[in-house]
Amino acid sequence: MSRTPAKELRRGWTTGACATAAVRAALMMLWGEAVPAKVRITLPKGETPEFEIAHVRQGDGWAEAGIVKDAGDDPDVTHGAMVIARVTASAGGVVFRAGDGVGRVTMPGLPIPPGEPAINPVPRQMMTATVQDMAERLGENPDIEITVSIPGGQALAQKTWNPRLGIKGGLSILGTTGIVRPFSCAAWIASIHRGIDVARSNGLDHLAGCTGATSEKVVQELYDLPDVAMLDMGDFAGGLLKYLAKHPVPRITIGGGIGKMTKLAQGARDLHSGRSQVDFERLAETLGEPEVRYMNTALQAYEIVGDRMADWVASAARERVRNMLPDEVSADTVVIDRAGTIIARAGA
């Protein structure tokens, strides 16, 4: 029987949407319209959410406003962070600056070139459209410099992919729709894709995707790989491999614990416990061990069968990986136990 959620999960707003709302409020102050308590913006798909203003400051020729990010029911590290936009006149056009807690791009492969503030294209478009719309409405000059800040963002960025992607000094201003959808896989998979892009742009010929922190540490040390080569695959083996098939590198290593790697060996591409399970009946037939069908976990089965099962998991998982990739990509697998000991490898 399926379980119905007690309540619908609440969606939230991206840092890009918050920054856009902050720009609108700051421009209202700079151009003498008002010191607003709330502002409304238009998102890329036409929605018009309202944001409360949590911070205002103004000086000679500049104004700034801040929005407290509400990520809804999504476990977002930036939930509750203050997103501040300061506006002042520019020498020409809309210019973006990285303030405190917002990172700067230092490596190629991202949508924004090295040297630029880590403010992604869609948020830039949203903020630019807001400047142009308000300038036209109020009869003002649309040449504006926007500095986006997130106090505490440098510490929060250590919990994100930014350090591996070469984004230094803080967080990124992200978003393609302006909306954070709770527990969406899309953001994680998008991060995997950006990790592959950056690694390719930096000429790396060996990448690794692992299911968790322990397997990642083991694989990184095994092959002496740099941080930028490590893709935080998590449960999304399919998302990683599908993108890699279209954007290949010479070599990929897939590593993980016996449980998730058994699911991969049996053909699962999403390794989350809520979305795929080990088929113990099938595993028992494959290994020729009838008692395996009564096991509750792959680890239990491994403790009974031993190395023969681990070797099969590594080999079968590698075959699944190979089937998703073009011939020019070399693939190997690494299987570990709970203690982080390598119990099997295939294709090395």
Side-chain angles (χ1 to χ4, degrees):
M1 180 183 295
S2 63
R3 179 181 295 177
T4 303
K7 64 181 182 67
E8 184 178 350
L9 293 174
R10 188 171 61 88
R11 66 182 186 172
W13 312 110
T14 64
T15 47
C18 294
T20 301
V23 165
R24 187 172 192 86
L27 287 172
M28 292 172 70
M29 295 161 59
L30 180 70
W31 288 337
E33 186 173 26
V35 179
K38 297 180 180 181
V39 294
R40 192 176 292 278
I41 65 169
T42 301
L43 299 181
K45 293 187 176 180
E47 294 184 72
T48 56
E50 189 175 64
F51 295 79
E52 291 188 5
I53 308 305
H55 163 89
V56 291
R57 284 181 66 206
Q58 191 167 12
D60 185 18
W62 63 270
E64 69 179 30
I67 307 288
V68 175
K69 178 176 175 178
D70 180 1
D73 288 326
D74 195 71
D76 190 317
V77 298
T78 58
H79 177 70
M82 178 80 75
V83 181
I84 298 172
R86 175 179 289 209
V87 295
T88 188
S90 77
V94 176
V95 179
F96 295 94
R97 306 290 184 204
D100 176 44
V102 172
R104 186 171 295 279
V105 177
T106 67
M107 294 196 298
L110 294 172
I112 301 301
E116 282 288 310
I119 302 173
N120 272 17
V122 171
R124 287 177 184 241
Q125 293 164 12
M126 291 168 63
M127 286 183 264
T128 299
T130 294
V131 171
Q132 293 170 342
D133 172 66
M134 292 190 65
E136 183 177 345
R137 180 168 60 83
L138 298 173
E140 297 286 348
N141 186 343
D143 296 333
I144 290 292
E145 179 178 293
I146 301 171
T147 302
V148 183
S149 306
I150 303 179
Q154 189 164 2
L156 289 175
Q158 300 308 308
K159 302 175 183 178
T160 73
W161 272 63
N162 278 15
R164 290 187 180 180
L165 297 177
I167 297 171
K168 306 295 185 183
L171 293 160
S172 302
I173 304 301
L174 301 173
T176 54
T177 64
I179 300 169
V180 176
R181 300 193 183 280
F183 301 100
S184 169
C185 302
W188 193 321
I189 293 173
S191 294
I192 294 172
H193 294 176
R194 298 295 78 76
I196 293 171
D197 292 343
V198 168
R200 279 167 47 88
S201 295
N202 283 274
L204 272 66
D205 58 8
H206 185 185
L207 308 186
C210 298
T211 61
T214 301
S215 55
E216 180 176 275
K217 182 175 184 293
V218 169
V219 169
Q220 186 170 20
E221 291 178 354
L222 177 65
Y223 293 116
D224 192 25
L225 294 172
D227 285 348
V228 71
M230 305 306 295
L231 307 169
D232 189 6
M233 180 181 77
D235 294 317
F236 303 112
L240 185 156
L241 295 168
K242 284 171 65 178
Y243 194 76
L244 202 59
K246 296 179 180 178
H247 306 83
V249 296
R251 182 178 178 186
I252 181 70
T253 298
I254 301 296
I258 186 73
K260 291 185 187 295
M261 292 297 282
T262 299
K263 290 194 280 187
L264 179 60
Q266 291 187 322
R269 298 184 179 184
D270 184 336
L271 309 180
H272 190 276
S273 60
R275 297 185 288 270
S276 63
Q277 299 291 329
V278 174
D279 184 338
F280 289 100
E281 186 75 31
R282 185 169 146 217
L283 186 61
E285 293 176 6
T286 298
L287 298 173
E289 298 283 353
E291 65 268 39
V292 165
R293 64 171 49 91
Y294 305 112
M295 299 296 100
N296 294 315
T297 67
L299 181 61
Q300 277 184 304
Y302 167 66
E303 288 170 348
I304 289 175
V305 180
D307 292 345
R308 188 163 58 84
M309 174 177 165
D311 290 341
W312 175 82
V313 168
S315 179
R318 178 180 179 269
E319 187 63 24
R320 298 288 184 179
V321 171
R322 279 264 12 100
N323 288 342
M324 291 189 67
L325 297 174
D327 292 342
E328 65 264 28
V329 179
S330 171
D332 65 282
T333 53
V334 178
V335 183
I336 65 167
D337 63 14
R338 281 185 175 174
T341 301
I342 297 174
I343 56 176
R345 294 168 68 187

